[in-house]
Every structure is written in structure tokens, then in C-alpha cells.
Amino acid sequence: MNKEKFYWETRELVVIGTFAALIKIVSFLVAITGGGMNPIAMVAKNIVSTALLIILVFNVRKFGVLSLYVLISGMITILTMGRGLMLLPGILIAGFICDLIIKFCGGYKSSFAIIAGVALFDIFYRAISLSLGYLFMRENPQLLYFAGITVAIGYIGCIIGLFTGNIFAKELKHAGIIKE
């Protein structure tokens, strides 16, 4: 009976924490330099953050990487901006569900499973955010229409980021930075 123990290596935890902080910083800088809430800046911010998330999952191929990323990213958001505490439980559930999707769609060795998991994570994350927004805006749902359009524009950037992240991950594998 050779049972393998599930544990996180120090390198993996450092990579997840570094990427969580890097994604927050880079997406903030892209939003600031892009001029704030305009469609081009929103698409660019989502391209960068999704591409970096794809690279993170390709780099740390272990069950729970999305859940741990969400937890660390949520803590960074709470500490730096003081918001996001209400979204954290729902996003953790979305991260765990997408970790399960990756595991059952071919595992972390399959590029398709990783890309599908991150794509569904982006959809679930946005759906949870809009659902909580709906709970608070029930008296005036017309305000939620603008939020839905904004989320849809941002998701266009996520779709582009899936493909660019996959290309970057292949190049980083070729360079030997991402191990198989």
C-alpha cells in the first residue's frame, strides 16, 4: 500500500503567492495607465490577468491551485482595498468547482482541461459577482444592466487571455521555465 501524501511544496506556494500579487499589481497598473473604466483598458486588464492565471496553473499543476489562488488573491484584495470579503466564499466555491472540472476533464496534464477550467472559473467568478450585485440592486435592476455589459466586455478580454496565456505557457515550456 503505497499512498502518496498530498502536500504543497514551498516552491509551489511561493509561485502561487507571487502570481496572485503579480496579477493584482499588473491588472491595477493596466487599468490605471489605460485611463480607468473604458472598454479597451478593461479588455487589456482581463487579457493580462487571465494569461497570467493560465501560466500559473500550467506552472503549478496540482489540485487546488485555483482555490488557493483565490484565497491568497482575496486576502490581498481585502488588505489593500478593504473590499471583496463578501465575494470570497462564492469565489472559493467557484475555484474549487473549477479545480474539480480540471481534474475530471483530463487532469492537470491536459492543456484543454486547464484552459477549460480557467475559462469556467472566469465565468463563475463573474456570475457570482453579478448575482450578489442583483441581490443588492433588486429595487432598481436597471443599474445591473450596465454592470452586465461591463462584465461581458471584460470577458472578451478573458477569452483572448486564454489563448495568449496558452501561447506564453508553450513558450515558457520550450524555454524550460515551466516543467511538465
Side-chain angles (χ1 to χ4, degrees):
M1 288 180 52
N2 186 10
K3 290 186 177 180
E4 292 185 30
K5 292 186 178 182
F6 179 80
Y7 64 92
W8 292 94
E9 295 177 12
T10 306
R11 180 197 72 82
E12 295 166 342
L13 294 173
V14 168
V15 167
I16 293 171
T18 303
F19 267 85
L22 182 68
I23 290 170
K24 287 289 180 192
I25 291 168
V26 171
S27 64
F28 178 72
L29 289 175
V30 169
I32 293 288
T33 57
M37 289 290 290
N38 63 54
I40 295 171
M42 288 176 12
V43 168
K45 178 181 82 76
N46 285 303
I47 288 171
V48 170
S49 61
T50 303
L52 287 173
L53 187 58
I54 288 282
I55 293 169
L56 168 66
V57 177
F58 269 108
N59 199 358
V60 181
R61 294 176 182 238
K62 192 175 275 191
F63 180 78
V65 66
L66 282 175
S67 302
L68 193 56
Y69 160 76
V70 166
L71 187 64
I72 293 170
S73 179
M75 286 191 291
I76 291 170
T77 302
I78 290 168
L79 291 173
T80 57
M81 294 182 246
R83 64 175 178 86
L85 187 59
M86 290 180 55
L87 292 176
L88 191 58
I91 297 170
L92 271 172
I93 292 170
F96 183 71
I97 288 170
C98 291
D99 278 330
L100 288 173
I101 289 170
I102 292 172
K103 183 175 181 168
F104 292 121
C105 284
Y108 288 87
K109 299 291 184 197
S110 169
S111 296
F112 172 77
I114 291 173
I115 292 171
V118 172
L120 289 173
F121 172 72
D122 284 333
I123 289 173
F124 291 159
Y125 167 68
R126 282 159 171 68
I128 289 168
S129 299
L130 282 176
S131 299
L132 283 174
Y134 176 75
L135 287 176
F136 291 114
M137 297 291 196
R138 284 183 291 190
E139 290 84 19
N140 194 358
Q142 290 82 12
L143 291 174
L144 200 63
Y145 297 153
F146 178 72
I149 292 169
T150 305
V151 167
I153 291 171
Y155 193 70
I156 292 169
C158 291
I159 292 171
I160 297 168
L162 291 171
F163 296 110
T164 57
N166 189 28
I167 291 169
F168 288 150
K170 285 179 184 176
E171 290 300 321
L172 291 172
K173 282 182 200 174
H174 183 68
I177 295 171
I178 294 179
K179 310 279 190 274
E180 299 254 1

